[in-house]
């Protein structure tokens, strides 16, 4: 992932935790690992994973960060 793309994602993010950007979207949340190429996951409003390009370990980390980051997000 290019530096410009990482900056674009970071600017859209509600929260960034340890290189994982959490972005609100129409479906729910998008979590992007800024330290890995093409590593992202889409979660619905109930925090259920809908689609991912992450491996199981990265997905578990992303889900955990999503849950923890909700208290810092604006309504």
């Amino acid at each position: 992932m290019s530096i410009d793309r990482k900056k674009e994602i970071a600017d859209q993010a509600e929260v960034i935790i340890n290189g994982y950007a959490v972005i609100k979207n129409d479906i729910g949340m998008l979590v992007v690992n800024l330290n890995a190429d093409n590593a992202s996951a889409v979660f619905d409003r109930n925090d259920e994973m809908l689609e991912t390009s992450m491996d199981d370990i990265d997905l578990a980390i992303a889900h955990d960060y999503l849950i923890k980051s909700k208290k810092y997000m604006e309504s």
Side-chain angles (χ1 to χ4, degrees):
M1 182 181 314
S2 72
I3 294 293
D4 289 337
R5 181 67 180 134
K6 286 182 183 183
K7 287 181 183 178
E8 182 181 321
I9 292 170
D11 287 343
Q12 294 174 12
E14 296 285 328
V15 176
I16 298 176
I17 301 175
N18 290 334
Y20 289 79
V22 180
I23 303 166
K24 287 183 183 180
N25 61 28
D26 294 338
I27 298 169
M29 300 287 181
L30 169 66
V31 181
V32 179
N33 183 345
L34 297 172
N35 297 313
D37 289 334
N38 298 323
S40 60
V42 178
F43 295 88
D44 67 14
R45 288 182 173 85
N46 297 317
D47 303 329
E48 296 293 323
M49 190 270 301
L50 300 175
E51 186 177 347
T52 189
S53 60
M54 295 179 171
D55 61 35
D56 290 343
I57 294 170
D58 207 20
L59 182 59
I61 293 168
H63 186 260
D64 185 52
Y65 286 153
L66 171 66
I67 301 300
K68 290 178 180 176
S69 68
K70 283 192 167 187
K71 64 182 173 184
Y72 301 108
M73 291 186 188
E74 297 174 313
S75 299

